[in-house]
């Protein structure tokens, strides 16, 4: 028999149980609070690690950007660059296949087996089955004949549709063949014109080449090419980026007290400037590499590169387009360079004697060796196929003295004060021009060569001697023909400007003078 608990004992046990349950609740609450703190700490640690990782990613991104900026030439050398594949320009001869659909095959003709009634058995014949079979046979023959007629009509219609479809397809195929043949003929003509050194064709050819170049993000896309056959010269005008393409930030870190990713280190101004100079120099070297690597047949012996930039002048608010770098490189000079091992800035400055802006951040311009408008075949084309109908004066028809007077008048209109020298005792001077512009003005010695052949390098060397003897600011040699690579190579880094026939006509258009250059028959422009 179980011992009964007194009321006092029961109450005591109930109190003990309540105290135990309260202890368990407090213990559970402490454990939950500890677990919450552990999870919060883990979250903070995870967030800290994530922010540190984000800061490292930002640092890696600017490092990658700088590597991209300093690797322009390396990527150009790694890409496959060569003459344009003219055959790849031809559209494929993909002619449509005739699809007759359901008319491709005739429908099966009706067969008698499909209509013939079954022969009656012996019992059926005994009870009139023979007569019923004859009636069924007659009806089947009529149905078979009707089906055969309908099939014949349908087949005739099908054959007509097939004939029409085939004729239409043949016409479409012929039109497609003619279109493809015409496009292939255009490509063949384009190839022939390029190899024949046609100024428009070669300009188009090189425009296609430079348009394929992929530049880093944030770089301007515009670039233009112009070919001057008289001097076997290619002019490339390339828009360069501004200083902002070089990241100012060098290293990021996470600041716990401010809970933010901030810049720990900035790039020194001198490093930004040198990196930007390298970018501009690399764009120039890349253009030279493209020009000579893509030459399909000795068309280019000299390349002029102008690096331009479109900006707003902060002083006037006007749109300006200064030239930040200009260089002139002959093929021989370029062949003496191992691009993979050069310092880009030293190469353009020292080897190619480039004119580079001393303060590109201030948009301080340099004078291009050759303005694009003076070579653009869309603006200047000295060849006139209907010269007998052209009323513009032909500079080749002027006498030597009249040509000198023409040059003097041209420079007067360009804003120079000019003085024409007598034919004898001029020391190799045809004209002296004074530029009254402050700071950049000065004395210019001008010689003119009304030639049908390429001006020899000796004339350029002689002009340099005259410039030195006269203490002139610059020497300008003007010809109706062109200059060879030796002349351009000698002029590099010297105060000499060479104006071929195309450039001369460009100057004329600048001041509103209508003129043309049509060579006498049977003259050939030799290249030194």
């Amino acid at each position: 028999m179980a011992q009964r608990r007194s009321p006092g004992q029961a109450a005591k046990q109930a109190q003990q149980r309540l105290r135990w349950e309260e202890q368990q609740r407090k213990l559970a609450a402490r454990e939950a609070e500890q677990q919450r703190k552990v999870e919060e700490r883990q979250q903070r640690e995870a967030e800290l690690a994530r922010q540190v990782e984000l800061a490292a990613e930002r640092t890696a991104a600017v490092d990658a950007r700088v590597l991209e900026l300093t690797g322009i030439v390396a990527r150009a050398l790694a890409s496959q660059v060569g003459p344009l594949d003219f055959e790849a320009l031809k559209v494929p001869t993909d002619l449509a296949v005739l699809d007759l659909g359901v008319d491709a095959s005739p429908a099966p003709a009706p067969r008698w087996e499909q209509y013939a009634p079954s022969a009656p058995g012996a019992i059926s014949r005994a009870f009139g089955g023979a007569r019923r079979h004859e009636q069924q046979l007659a009806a089947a023959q009529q149905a078979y004949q009707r089906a055969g007629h309908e099939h014949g009509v349908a087949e005739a219609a099908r054959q007509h549709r097939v004939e029409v479809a085939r004729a239409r397809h043949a016409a479409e195929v012929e039109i497609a063949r003619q279109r493809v043949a015409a496009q292939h003929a255009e490509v063949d003509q384009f190839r022939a014109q390029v190899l024949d050194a046609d100024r428009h064709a070669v300009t188009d050819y090189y425009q296609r080449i430079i348009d394929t170049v992929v530049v880093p993000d944030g770089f301007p896309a515009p670039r233009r090419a112009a070919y001057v056959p008289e001097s076997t010269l290619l002019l490339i005008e390339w828009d360069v980026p501004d200083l902002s393409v070089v990241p100012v930030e060098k290293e990021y870190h996470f600041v716990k007290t401010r809970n933010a990713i901030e810049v720990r280190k900035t790039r020194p101004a001198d490093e930004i400037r040198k990196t930007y100079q390298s970018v501009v120099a690399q764009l120039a070297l890349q253009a030279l590499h493209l020009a000579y690597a893509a030459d399909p047949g000795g068309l280019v012996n000299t390349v002029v590169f102008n690096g331009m930039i479109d900006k707003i002048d902060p002083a006037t608010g006007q749109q300006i387009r200064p030239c930040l770098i200009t260089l002139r490189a002959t093929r021989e000079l370029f062949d003496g360079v191992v691009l993979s091992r050069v310092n880009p800035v030293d190469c353009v400055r020292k080897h190619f004697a480039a004119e580079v802006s001393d303060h590109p951040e201030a948009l301080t311009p340099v004078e291009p060796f050759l303005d694009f408008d003076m070579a653009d075949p869309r603006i200047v084309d000295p060849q006139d196929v209907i010269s007998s109908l052209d009323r513009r004066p032909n500079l080749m028809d002027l006498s030597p003295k009249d040509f000198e007077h023409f040059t003097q008048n041209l420079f007067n209109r360009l804003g120079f004060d000019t003085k024409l020298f007598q034919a004898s005792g001029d020391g190799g001077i045809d004209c002296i021009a004074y530029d009254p512009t402050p700071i950049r003005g000065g004395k210019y010695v001008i010689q003119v060569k009304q030639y049908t052949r390429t001006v020899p390098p000796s004339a350029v060397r002689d002009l340099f001697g005259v410039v030195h003897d006269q203490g002139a600011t610059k020497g300008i040699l003007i010809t109706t023909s062109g200059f060879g690579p030796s002349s351009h190579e000698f002029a590099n880094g010297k105060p000499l400007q060479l104006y071929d026939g195309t450039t001369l006509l460009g100057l004329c258009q600048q001041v509103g003078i209508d003129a043309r250059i049509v060579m006498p028959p049977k003259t050939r422009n030799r290249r030194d």
Side-chain angles (χ1 to χ4, degrees), residues 74-358:
R75 289 192 300 275
L77 294 176
S79 63
Q80 297 296 323
V81 179
L84 190 66
D85 183 1
F86 289 98
E87 291 301 314
L89 299 179
K90 294 181 177 180
V91 297
T93 312
D94 292 333
L95 301 178
V97 178
L98 177 61
D99 182 10
L100 294 174
V102 296
D103 288 337
S105 302
R111 301 191 309 276
W112 169 246
E113 294 80 2
Q114 297 171 309
Y115 298 87
S118 302
I123 297 176
S124 178
R125 284 197 297 272
F127 292 95
R131 187 174 60 184
R132 288 194 301 273
H133 179 261
E134 289 178 358
Q135 292 173 347
Q136 292 173 350
L137 184 61
Q141 288 175 341
Q142 289 179 354
Y144 175 66
Q145 290 174 356
R146 186 168 55 252
H149 174 73
E150 292 174 353
H151 177 269
V153 172
E155 175 60 17
R158 185 194 71 84
Q159 291 181 5
H160 177 70
R161 291 194 301 272
V162 168
E163 183 179 351
V164 172
R166 284 176 174 167
R168 183 171 58 249
H169 176 260
E172 292 173 352
V173 166
E174 181 58 28
I175 292 173
R177 279 202 183 99
Q178 291 177 3
R179 187 184 303 114
V180 169
Q183 194 270 341
H184 288 190
E186 289 178 359
V187 173
D188 290 337
Q189 182 182 25
F190 177 52
R191 179 200 285 118
Q193 290 173 334
V194 168
L195 297 179
D196 196 38
D198 175 82
R199 80 172 57 243
H200 293 277
V202 177
T203 294
D204 184 21
Y205 173 89
Y206 272 105
Q207 189 65 51
R208 292 169 183 258
I209 294 294
I210 63 177
D211 281 344
T212 62
V213 177
V214 179
V215 294
D217 291 340
F219 278 43
R223 60 201 74 145
R224 299 189 291 177
Y227 181 62
V228 182
E230 296 88 353
S231 298
T232 60
L233 181 147
L234 178 69
L235 172 60
I236 297 177
E237 183 180 272
W238 200 293
D239 278 29
V240 301
D242 60 20
L243 204 64
S244 65
V245 296
V246 183
V248 176
E249 305 81 5
K250 190 166 188 176
E251 183 181 346
Y252 290 89
H253 70 145
F254 177 66
V255 182
K256 290 177 60 176
T257 56
R258 287 190 289 273
N259 192 31
I261 297 176
E262 298 179 355
V263 177
R264 171 182 287 174
K265 294 181 181 178
T266 58
R267 210 169 299 278
D270 187 59
E271 182 181 343
I272 294 175
R273 180 180 59 82
K274 289 182 178 179
T275 303
Y276 180 71
Q277 288 177 345
S278 175
V279 167
V280 174
Q282 286 183 89
L283 290 176
L285 294 177
Q286 179 186 43
L288 298 183
H289 171 65
L290 285 172
Y292 287 120
D295 190 343
L299 301 175
V300 177
N301 286 312
T302 303
V303 177
V304 172
F305 175 88
N306 293 335
M308 315 296 292
I309 187 168
D310 276 323
K311 296 292 287 183
I312 300 296
D313 188 341
T316 65
Q318 297 292 328
Q319 186 79 27
I320 57 174
R321 186 171 171 78
C323 178
L324 299 185
I325 179 175
T326 183
L327 66 82
R328 178 171 46 201
T330 64
R331 182 183 293 273
E332 183 178 358
L333 200 63
F334 180 78
D335 287 343
V337 172
V338 181
L339 281 181
S340 61
R341 298 204 295 259
V342 302
N343 177 293
V345 176
D346 288 345
C347 184
V348 299
R349 283 183 179 272
K350 298 177 181 179
H351 186 71
F352 292 114
E355 295 287 339
V356 184
S357 173
D358 292 329

Side-chain angles (χ1 to χ4, degrees), residues 491-502:
N492 258 358
K494 299 180 179 65
L496 299 176
Q497 199 78 33
L498 307 182
Y499 289 169
D500 55 26
T502 298

Side-chain angles (χ1 to χ4, degrees), residues 12-49:
K12 184 177 181 180
Q13 289 178 350
Q15 290 177 353
Q16 290 176 345
R17 182 170 183 80
L18 289 174
R19 284 195 299 270
W20 179 83
E21 289 177 351
E22 179 64 22
Q23 290 173 354
Q24 291 300 311
R25 282 195 297 271
K26 290 181 178 179
L27 179 61
R30 284 197 301 271
E31 290 177 348
E33 178 65 15
Q34 290 174 354
Q35 181 62 30
R36 184 186 64 79
K37 291 180 178 179
V38 168
E39 291 177 354
E40 285 184 352
R41 185 174 65 253
Q42 290 175 343
Q43 289 177 355
R44 288 195 300 270
E45 290 174 352
E47 178 63 16
L48 175 61

